[in-house]
PDB file of all heavy atoms in Angstrom:
ATOM      1  N   CYS A 320       1.913  29.834 -15.782  1.00  0.00           N
ATOM      2  CA  CYS A 320       1.876  30.030 -14.326  1.00  0.00           C
ATOM      3  C   CYS A 320       0.682  30.888 -13.920  1.00  0.00           C
ATOM      4  O   CYS A 320      -0.014  30.596 -12.950  1.00  0.00           O
ATOM      5  CB  CYS A 320       3.173  30.686 -13.837  1.00  0.00           C
ATOM      6  SG  CYS A 320       4.638  29.619 -13.991  1.00  0.00           S
ATOM      7  N   LYS A 321       0.417  31.942 -14.700  1.00  0.00           N
ATOM      8  CA  LYS A 321      -0.749  32.786 -14.408  1.00  0.00           C
ATOM      9  C   LYS A 321      -2.047  32.007 -14.579  1.00  0.00           C
ATOM     10  O   LYS A 321      -3.007  32.189 -13.829  1.00  0.00           O
ATOM     11  CB  LYS A 321      -0.748  34.010 -15.311  1.00  0.00           C
ATOM     12  CG  LYS A 321       0.374  34.992 -15.014  1.00  0.00           C
ATOM     13  CD  LYS A 321       0.323  36.177 -15.966  1.00  0.00           C
ATOM     14  CE  LYS A 321       1.444  37.176 -15.669  1.00  0.00           C
ATOM     15  NZ  LYS A 321       1.427  38.323 -16.604  1.00  0.00           N
ATOM     16  N   LEU A 322      -2.068  31.120 -15.611  1.00  0.00           N
ATOM     17  CA  LEU A 322      -3.282  30.343 -15.873  1.00  0.00           C
ATOM     18  C   LEU A 322      -3.566  29.367 -14.732  1.00  0.00           C
ATOM     19  O   LEU A 322      -4.721  29.185 -14.321  1.00  0.00           O
ATOM     20  CB  LEU A 322      -3.134  29.580 -17.195  1.00  0.00           C
ATOM     21  CG  LEU A 322      -4.373  28.808 -17.681  1.00  0.00           C
ATOM     22  CD1 LEU A 322      -5.563  29.754 -17.807  1.00  0.00           C
ATOM     23  CD2 LEU A 322      -4.085  28.127 -19.009  1.00  0.00           C
ATOM     24  N   VAL A 323      -2.503  28.735 -14.209  1.00  0.00           N
ATOM     25  CA  VAL A 323      -2.688  27.828 -13.060  1.00  0.00           C
ATOM     26  C   VAL A 323      -3.255  28.589 -11.861  1.00  0.00           C
ATOM     27  O   VAL A 323      -4.176  28.133 -11.188  1.00  0.00           O
ATOM     28  CB  VAL A 323      -1.346  27.158 -12.675  1.00  0.00           C
ATOM     29  CG1 VAL A 323      -1.478  26.401 -11.363  1.00  0.00           C
ATOM     30  CG2 VAL A 323      -0.913  26.207 -13.782  1.00  0.00           C
ATOM     31  N   LYS A 324      -2.715  29.792 -11.613  1.00  0.00           N
ATOM     32  CA  LYS A 324      -3.231  30.615 -10.500  1.00  0.00           C
ATOM     33  C   LYS A 324      -4.681  31.004 -10.740  1.00  0.00           C
ATOM     34  O   LYS A 324      -5.512  30.989  -9.822  1.00  0.00           O
ATOM     35  CB  LYS A 324      -2.368  31.854 -10.343  1.00  0.00           C
ATOM     36  CG  LYS A 324      -2.785  32.744  -9.165  1.00  0.00           C
ATOM     37  CD  LYS A 324      -1.871  33.945  -9.044  1.00  0.00           C
ATOM     38  CE  LYS A 324      -2.271  34.786  -7.829  1.00  0.00           C
ATOM     39  NZ  LYS A 324      -3.644  35.283  -7.935  1.00  0.00           N
ATOM     40  N   LYS A 325      -5.006  31.316 -12.002  1.00  0.00           N
ATOM     41  CA  LYS A 325      -6.384  31.708 -12.330  1.00  0.00           C
ATOM     42  C   LYS A 325      -7.351  30.559 -12.101  1.00  0.00           C
ATOM     43  O   LYS A 325      -8.473  30.759 -11.615  1.00  0.00           O
ATOM     44  CB  LYS A 325      -6.461  32.184 -13.780  1.00  0.00           C
ATOM     45  CG  LYS A 325      -7.821  32.717 -14.175  1.00  0.00           C
ATOM     46  CD  LYS A 325      -7.813  33.238 -15.605  1.00  0.00           C
ATOM     47  CE  LYS A 325      -9.188  33.769 -16.001  1.00  0.00           C
ATOM     48  NZ  LYS A 325      -9.192  34.263 -17.390  1.00  0.00           N
ATOM     49  N   VAL A 326      -6.916  29.315 -12.465  1.00  0.00           N
ATOM     50  CA  VAL A 326      -7.774  28.146 -12.245  1.00  0.00           C
ATOM     51  C   VAL A 326      -8.064  27.978 -10.758  1.00  0.00           C
ATOM     52  O   VAL A 326      -9.197  27.718 -10.337  1.00  0.00           O
ATOM     53  CB  VAL A 326      -7.112  26.869 -12.822  1.00  0.00           C
ATOM     54  CG1 VAL A 326      -7.858  25.625 -12.357  1.00  0.00           C
ATOM     55  CG2 VAL A 326      -7.104  26.939 -14.337  1.00  0.00           C
ATOM     56  N   ASN A 327      -7.012  28.135  -9.927  1.00  0.00           N
ATOM     57  CA  ASN A 327      -7.218  28.015  -8.476  1.00  0.00           C
ATOM     58  C   ASN A 327      -8.173  29.085  -7.954  1.00  0.00           C
ATOM     59  O   ASN A 327      -9.067  28.809  -7.151  1.00  0.00           O
ATOM     60  CB  ASN A 327      -5.869  28.120  -7.757  1.00  0.00           C
ATOM     61  CG  ASN A 327      -5.018  26.892  -7.961  1.00  0.00           C
ATOM     62  OD1 ASN A 327      -5.540  25.825  -8.235  1.00  0.00           O
ATOM     63  ND2 ASN A 327      -3.711  27.027  -7.844  1.00  0.00           N
ATOM     64  N   ASP A 328      -7.965  30.341  -8.434  1.00  0.00           N
ATOM     65  CA  ASP A 328      -8.844  31.429  -7.982  1.00  0.00           C
ATOM     66  C   ASP A 328     -10.282  31.199  -8.409  1.00  0.00           C
ATOM     67  O   ASP A 328     -11.222  31.422  -7.647  1.00  0.00           O
ATOM     68  CB  ASP A 328      -8.347  32.768  -8.538  1.00  0.00           C
ATOM     69  CG  ASP A 328      -7.010  33.162  -7.946  1.00  0.00           C
ATOM     70  OD1 ASP A 328      -6.654  32.604  -6.882  1.00  0.00           O
ATOM     71  OD2 ASP A 328      -6.312  34.001  -8.535  1.00  0.00           O
ATOM     72  N   ASN A 329     -10.464  30.721  -9.670  1.00  0.00           N
ATOM     73  CA  ASN A 329     -11.827  30.463 -10.159  1.00  0.00           C
ATOM     74  C   ASN A 329     -12.500  29.346  -9.379  1.00  0.00           C
ATOM     75  O   ASN A 329     -13.714  29.375  -9.152  1.00  0.00           O
ATOM     76  CB  ASN A 329     -11.793  30.092 -11.644  1.00  0.00           C
ATOM     77  CG  ASN A 329     -11.493  31.293 -12.517  1.00  0.00           C
ATOM     78  OD1 ASN A 329     -11.670  32.427 -12.085  1.00  0.00           O
ATOM     79  ND2 ASN A 329     -11.026  31.068 -13.739  1.00  0.00           N
ATOM     80  N   ALA A 330     -11.692  28.351  -8.946  1.00  0.00           N
ATOM     81  CA  ALA A 330     -12.271  27.259  -8.151  1.00  0.00           C
ATOM     82  C   ALA A 330     -12.838  27.802  -6.849  1.00  0.00           C
ATOM     83  O   ALA A 330     -13.937  27.453  -6.437  1.00  0.00           O
ATOM     84  CB  ALA A 330     -11.204  26.196  -7.864  1.00  0.00           C
ATOM     85  N   HIS A 331     -12.063  28.700  -6.218  1.00  0.00           N
ATOM     86  CA  HIS A 331     -12.532  29.275  -4.942  1.00  0.00           C
ATOM     87  C   HIS A 331     -13.790  30.115  -5.148  1.00  0.00           C
ATOM     88  O   HIS A 331     -14.753  30.012  -4.400  1.00  0.00           O
ATOM     89  CB  HIS A 331     -11.409  30.125  -4.364  1.00  0.00           C
ATOM     90  CG  HIS A 331     -11.702  30.658  -3.004  1.00  0.00           C
ATOM     91  ND1 HIS A 331     -11.900  29.836  -1.916  1.00  0.00           N
ATOM     92  CD2 HIS A 331     -11.847  31.931  -2.558  1.00  0.00           C
ATOM     93  CE1 HIS A 331     -12.146  30.576  -0.864  1.00  0.00           C
ATOM     94  NE2 HIS A 331     -12.131  31.854  -1.220  1.00  0.00           N
ATOM     95  N   LYS A 332     -13.772  30.968  -6.234  1.00  0.00           N
ATOM     96  CA  LYS A 332     -14.931  31.825  -6.494  1.00  0.00           C
ATOM     97  C   LYS A 332     -16.156  30.999  -6.865  1.00  0.00           C
ATOM     98  O   LYS A 332     -17.275  31.320  -6.473  1.00  0.00           O
ATOM     99  CB  LYS A 332     -14.605  32.808  -7.611  1.00  0.00           C
ATOM    100  CG  LYS A 332     -13.549  33.838  -7.226  1.00  0.00           C
ATOM    101  CD  LYS A 332     -13.215  34.749  -8.391  1.00  0.00           C
ATOM    102  CE  LYS A 332     -12.141  35.763  -8.008  1.00  0.00           C
ATOM    103  NZ  LYS A 332     -11.766  36.615  -9.155  1.00  0.00           N
ATOM    104  N   SER A 333     -15.952  29.911  -7.664  1.00  0.00           N
ATOM    105  CA  SER A 333     -17.085  29.074  -8.073  1.00  0.00           C
ATOM    106  C   SER A 333     -17.761  28.446  -6.865  1.00  0.00           C
ATOM    107  O   SER A 333     -18.987  28.365  -6.790  1.00  0.00           O
ATOM    108  CB  SER A 333     -16.602  27.974  -9.027  1.00  0.00           C
ATOM    109  OG  SER A 333     -16.081  28.548 -10.191  1.00  0.00           O
ATOM    110  N   GLY A 334     -16.941  27.986  -5.868  1.00  0.00           N
ATOM    111  CA  GLY A 334     -17.530  27.404  -4.662  1.00  0.00           C
ATOM    112  C   GLY A 334     -18.419  28.403  -3.941  1.00  0.00           C
ATOM    113  O   GLY A 334     -19.530  28.090  -3.545  1.00  0.00           O
ATOM    114  N   ASN A 335     -17.929  29.698  -3.811  1.00  0.00           N
ATOM    115  CA  ASN A 335     -18.750  30.709  -3.136  1.00  0.00           C
ATOM    116  C   ASN A 335     -20.043  30.984  -3.890  1.00  0.00           C
ATOM    117  O   ASN A 335     -21.110  31.137  -3.306  1.00  0.00           O
ATOM    118  CB  ASN A 335     -17.955  32.016  -3.006  1.00  0.00           C
ATOM    119  CG  ASN A 335     -16.813  31.882  -2.020  1.00  0.00           C
ATOM    120  OD1 ASN A 335     -16.857  31.033  -1.140  1.00  0.00           O
ATOM    121  ND2 ASN A 335     -15.781  32.691  -2.172  1.00  0.00           N
ATOM    122  N   THR A 336     -19.942  31.028  -5.265  1.00  0.00           N
ATOM    123  CA  THR A 336     -21.141  31.303  -6.072  1.00  0.00           C
ATOM    124  C   THR A 336     -22.158  30.194  -5.940  1.00  0.00           C
ATOM    125  O   THR A 336     -23.357  30.438  -5.770  1.00  0.00           O
ATOM    126  CB  THR A 336     -20.744  31.467  -7.543  1.00  0.00           C
ATOM    127  OG1 THR A 336     -19.798  32.531  -7.658  1.00  0.00           O
ATOM    128  CG2 THR A 336     -21.972  31.802  -8.388  1.00  0.00           C
ATOM    129  N   ILE A 337     -21.684  28.918  -5.983  1.00  0.00           N
ATOM    130  CA  ILE A 337     -22.610  27.779  -5.916  1.00  0.00           C
ATOM    131  C   ILE A 337     -23.345  27.776  -4.591  1.00  0.00           C
ATOM    132  O   ILE A 337     -24.570  27.646  -4.534  1.00  0.00           O
ATOM    133  CB  ILE A 337     -21.828  26.464  -6.105  1.00  0.00           C
ATOM    134  CG1 ILE A 337     -21.366  26.351  -7.569  1.00  0.00           C
ATOM    135  CG2 ILE A 337     -22.713  25.255  -5.757  1.00  0.00           C
ATOM    136  CD1 ILE A 337     -20.413  25.219  -7.819  1.00  0.00           C
ATOM    137  N   TYR A 338     -22.619  27.976  -3.478  1.00  0.00           N
ATOM    138  CA  TYR A 338     -23.292  27.917  -2.184  1.00  0.00           C
ATOM    139  C   TYR A 338     -24.186  29.131  -1.947  1.00  0.00           C
ATOM    140  O   TYR A 338     -25.182  29.047  -1.258  1.00  0.00           O
ATOM    141  CB  TYR A 338     -22.261  27.777  -1.066  1.00  0.00           C
ATOM    142  CG  TYR A 338     -21.597  26.435  -1.102  1.00  0.00           C
ATOM    143  CD1 TYR A 338     -20.255  26.298  -1.456  1.00  0.00           C
ATOM    144  CD2 TYR A 338     -22.322  25.274  -0.846  1.00  0.00           C
ATOM    145  CE1 TYR A 338     -19.660  25.063  -1.516  1.00  0.00           C
ATOM    146  CE2 TYR A 338     -21.723  24.033  -0.906  1.00  0.00           C
ATOM    147  CZ  TYR A 338     -20.405  23.924  -1.237  1.00  0.00           C
ATOM    148  OH  TYR A 338     -19.815  22.696  -1.302  1.00  0.00           O
ATOM    149  N   SER A 339     -23.837  30.288  -2.584  1.00  0.00           N
ATOM    150  CA  SER A 339     -24.734  31.432  -2.519  1.00  0.00           C
ATOM    151  C   SER A 339     -26.041  31.149  -3.251  1.00  0.00           C
ATOM    152  O   SER A 339     -27.118  31.508  -2.788  1.00  0.00           O
ATOM    153  CB  SER A 339     -24.040  32.659  -3.128  1.00  0.00           C
ATOM    154  OG  SER A 339     -24.921  33.760  -3.153  1.00  0.00           O
ATOM    155  N   LEU A 340     -25.932  30.459  -4.406  1.00  0.00           N
ATOM    156  CA  LEU A 340     -27.146  30.089  -5.155  1.00  0.00           C
ATOM    157  C   LEU A 340     -28.000  29.102  -4.358  1.00  0.00           C
ATOM    158  O   LEU A 340     -29.236  29.184  -4.359  1.00  0.00           O
ATOM    159  CB  LEU A 340     -26.754  29.478  -6.504  1.00  0.00           C
ATOM    160  CG  LEU A 340     -26.172  30.456  -7.525  1.00  0.00           C
ATOM    161  CD1 LEU A 340     -25.695  29.708  -8.750  1.00  0.00           C
ATOM    162  CD2 LEU A 340     -27.195  31.515  -7.913  1.00  0.00           C
TER     163      LEU A 340
END
Side-chain angles (χ1 to χ4, degrees):
C320 292
K321 292 179 180 179
L322 185 57
V323 171
K324 183 179 182 300
K325 185 177 180 181
V326 169
N327 288 336
D328 293 342
N329 287 340
H331 186 63
K332 293 177 181 177
S333 297
N335 291 336
T336 302
I337 289 171
Y338 291 111
S339 176
L340 289 174

